[in-house]
Amino acid sequence: GGHVGKAVNRLTGQLTARSQVQEEASVSEQLASKVMAKLESDHGVICSRREAAEALETVGNHVGKAINHIRGMATARSEVELETTLATEEKISKVIAKLAEKNLSCSLEAAAE
């Protein structure tokens, strides 16, 4: 039973594994920070640490690829927002045009409501 050497070896193994996990965590923290900093400085894109970490996981901890991944998502997101905005503006224009036919003028703000 009480073999000191074996106990020491087992604990050493556990502690080593634990410190490796911590090292990996701090490495991914550093990478996430790099991704966030570069996105902001080079592309003016703000992303959360969680987004950065998820992107890094997706691309296998490659900073450049993670940046492209987030930029791609940001672009897709802004395109959707742009389409929504344009659709709304189109509706507003139609409302104003219809009112104009009836000789009623109204401001953009009123039409938006």
Side-chain angles (χ1 to χ4, degrees):
H3 195 289
V4 174
K6 278 184 185 167
V8 168
N9 286 344
R10 203 192 58 191
L11 283 171
T12 307
Q14 284 175 353
L15 291 170
T16 308
R18 193 181 306 157
S19 71
Q20 274 174 343
V21 168
Q22 282 168 348
E23 272 170 38
E24 280 168 27
S26 69
V27 165
S28 58
E29 281 281 303
Q30 285 168 358
L31 288 175
S33 299
K34 263 189 199 166
V35 169
M36 291 164 72
K38 273 197 87 60
L39 268 169
E40 193 173 350
S41 64
D42 298 359
H43 310 290
V45 174
I46 306 287
C47 85
S48 67
R49 185 172 292 280
R50 200 178 57 124
E51 280 178 312
E54 280 172 6
L56 281 161
E57 252 174 61
T58 307
V59 300
N61 281 344
H62 189 288
V63 172
K65 285 180 184 169
I67 288 169
N68 289 338
H69 181 74
I70 293 170
R71 286 185 64 207
M73 291 195 308
T75 307
R77 198 183 313 157
S78 61
E79 275 170 12
V80 169
E81 281 167 12
L82 188 65
E83 278 170 28
T84 314
T85 308
L86 289 176
T88 308
E89 280 174 8
E90 218 171 295
K91 281 180 202 153
I92 294 171
S93 309
K94 280 182 186 161
V95 169
I96 292 172
K98 280 221 173 324
L99 285 170
E101 284 168 21
K102 299 177 177 168
N103 292 329
L104 297 168
S105 62
C106 101
S107 68
L108 269 171
E109 289 80 13
E113 288 168 17

